[in-house]
Amino acid sequence: MRKPFDRVERALATLFIAAMMAPSSLAQGTERGIYGQPVELKKREESLIETVHGYKNMFYRRGLLHNQPEVNDLLERIGKHLAPEPTDPYIEYRFLLFHSPAPNAFALPDGQIYVNTGMLALLENEAQIAGLLAHEINHTAGHHTLVSHRSVRRKIITSMVLGPLTLGIADIFLVLAMFGYSRDLEEEADRHGIRMMFDGGYDVREMKRVFEILYEDPEGERYDVKTKWSTHPQLMERAEYLSRTAREMTKDVDVDGLKVGRKSYRAAVRGVSLMTVDDLVRADYPRSALALARRLIEEDGTDARAHYLMGEAWRSMGGRSELVEGVEPTKKEKKKAIRKRIGLTREEREERRLETGEGRENLEKNLENASAAYRNALSKGENLVEAHRGLGFALEGLKDDKGAAKAFMKYIRARPDASDKQIVLEHLKSITDRLKQGE
Amino acid sequence: MTASKTARVFRVSVVLCLMYACMAPFALARQFITDGFRTKQTWPMTLALLPPHAEIIKSKALMSEQMVNECEGLENAGAAWLVERLTGAGYGVRELSVAEIQDDPELAGLAGRVNKRYDEVWSKMVRRPGKIRAARYNIGDDAQTLCSLLDVDGLLLSRIQAVGVTAGKKWLHGVLSLGQSVPQGYGRIDLAVVNGDTGVVEGYFNGLTYAGLKQIVNKPDKVMKAASKKCLRKYPDSETVLKPRGIEVEDQDEDDGEEINEEELMSDLEALLGDGGEEEEEGGEGGEGEGEEE
């Protein structure tokens, strides 16, 4: 005989499972970007747009906006060429440079599109920057922020109701649903972006290259985490589907007529690229700085500043070794490197490297390479005074006190009003004391 | 429970409440300083305050939001109160404005780099503040260069966080917790003192005051007045010398702060080097420097 509780238990179990799955089911259906038509703001969203308007002023106050007319004009020209007519009164497309060596770009819902100086330094041609801008423009044109905000809000309400009923298990599906939705919007921006790029006359085959560049990892500290928790689809997956899309789009098209614009682009962003090498050195990413400096020297070997910055990159390597080409650090090594970067100061990390024989050997090799690079910079005849200072630091590290002293003295004589003169004088004083003791 | 037992429980409760009330200000204000700072050996007397960075979170029932437009008010108020209190304690404080920094490219570059380096160090400092006492945090040569450019002994770097809780969230939490817990908003200011000779963070102070959302937005001056008072509660005035704690500092340079006579130094070096200090500049032999020859 069937027990009466069986039916009740089955009903409760069904209800329980349905309640858990409800949040993820909300990810289906209508949550896609809204293109080509205005989106009426709800009252609570008006304050969000007001907040977004304020970001430009905040970035200005914190010195994060970079102004280089040639590059600003380049971004403005490409962006305005690609951007559609704004569908809402609060959208006005503006293309701005954000001072950061990280390869990134972002769009705000009111049409502010920011491209990091580090991103510009890495890209190879105008078509790639057009692809990047097209992607970002589509986040704004598709009202992705508002759509995402509304969707997340619905899911949070659902979670607040269903979470306690399902002992919190529904929250897991909720989070999965939120991240999945974010990935859908990124893919949508990719697909609309590549179409926008094509309509703008650019070679869409270059879009794939943007993701390949982002995938490069000179520091050996980034590892792929292919989980449902990732808010962005994996970079190489994106490169793959964009490559397929580009092949289809250019099937019956004369690709020679599509714009790439390598030389003019690299000439325009050279100043920003040199600045990015310096920024990477100061942010303690010397391998990335070295990779970029090498590229800049390949493009123009007569540029003294590029050689000087190569020297700075080598000097900042400290006790690190160069990564062997084709040999990637293991995931465990990468995680360890990230944990150290987060938990220890730079000085502590360098101390640990120099405790090993390998670290001390690396330091000597890196300082020798730095000295050679500084000497190369000085040989270009541009009288780059900072190279004397850099050479002084490198030689001092190599225990060549006399050589270091000569280099520092040249720097002080050439730049008697230097802001960092006191630092150099302190080093000279230490060298003097050591030379006197050695006599 | 007998009457005497009740009275005893009551007395103990009163004492515990009083102890808690007395300790609260200590909990809301913390400071970490090096021995050099305590004994005035590495104690900057003239300081430049870089514009503080503020962050305001509006904590709502469902989703929190960042408030950006209101940050400027909090930053200006925070800077003004820090300058007033430290000037009152006998220090020379120069407040750098955003306009002043942006008008000078060299100053803008240095200030930007110092802030970025400080943010990197700050994230470690707040997790391991005890290491401040051992002078383990350094924000690099740019701090020294900036102090030299501004002709000050040290830098002040400040970060402000404010969380404003909406009435809806308070109500919701109050109902769900049956009145047991209601979230409170606050304004918090923290301040690092950086030695201009070495770049070392010599002192780190922070203070917190409870505040409602309307106060944070409409009366930032009042919120910062209270928070800065708590933050600087233990900042020694310019005359006071504190006892050292005996914490060992590694790699301390014995000659810190000594004035260097440039002319004397250069002539000493020329004598030691013997050949007038001419450095070889030609050619880059070996190594990575020869990109053009490959």
Side-chain angles (χ1 to χ4, degrees), chain A residues 338-387:
Chain A
I338 292 169
R339 267 202 305 274
K340 280 187 182 169
R341 186 181 280 279
I342 292 169
L344 302 174
T345 63
R346 295 183 193 189
E347 293 79 18
E348 286 167 340
R349 293 200 297 273
E350 184 66 2
E351 270 170 33
R352 288 190 183 195
R353 279 181 217 117
L354 297 181
E355 279 169 3
T356 66
E358 189 192 342
R360 290 189 290 275
E361 270 176 38
N362 290 334
L363 175 66
E364 194 172 325
K365 201 167 64 166
N366 294 334
L367 289 175
E368 278 166 6
N369 285 332
S371 304
Y374 289 128
R375 289 197 171 98
N376 257 326
L378 290 165
S379 74
K380 301 303 171 197
E382 288 178 32
N383 195 24
L384 193 60
V385 172
E386 289 84 5

Side-chain angles (χ1 to χ4, degrees), chain B residues 124-190:
Chain B
K124 298 168 183 25
M125 253 169 37
V126 293
R127 282 188 299 108
R128 296 184 305 165
K131 295 262 181 177
I132 295 167
R133 296 187 180 115
R136 286 301 277 173
Y137 298 109
N138 192 312
I139 61 171
D141 290 352
D142 285 327
Q144 295 170 264
T145 307
L146 184 56
C147 287
S148 180
L149 185 68
L150 298 171
D151 195 22
V152 292
D153 299 333
L155 293 176
L156 296 169
L157 292 152
S158 174
R159 299 291 180 262
I160 299 168
Q161 296 93 37
V163 174
V165 183
T166 59
K169 180 160 184 169
K170 286 185 184 178
W171 181 88
L172 186 67
H173 272 253
V175 164
L176 291 176
S177 66
L178 302 174
Q180 295 300 307
S181 84
V182 176
Q184 273 202 294
Y186 62 86
R188 179 179 180 274
I189 190 167
D190 72 42

Side-chain angles (χ1 to χ4, degrees), chain B residues 192-209:
Chain B
V193 185
V194 178
N195 185 334
D197 287 332
T198 57
V200 166
V201 176
E202 297 283 352
Y204 177 72
F205 305 82
N206 65 59
L208 180 149
T209 185

Side-chain angles (χ1 to χ4, degrees), chain B residues 8 31 36 61 74 84 120 124 130 157 169 221 256 290:
Chain B
R8 196 166 56 206
Q31 42 280 318
L74 216 55
E84 181 167 322
E120 179 192 317
K124 298 168 183 25
L157 292 152
K169 180 160 184 169
D221 194 65
D256 270 356
E290 302 188 81

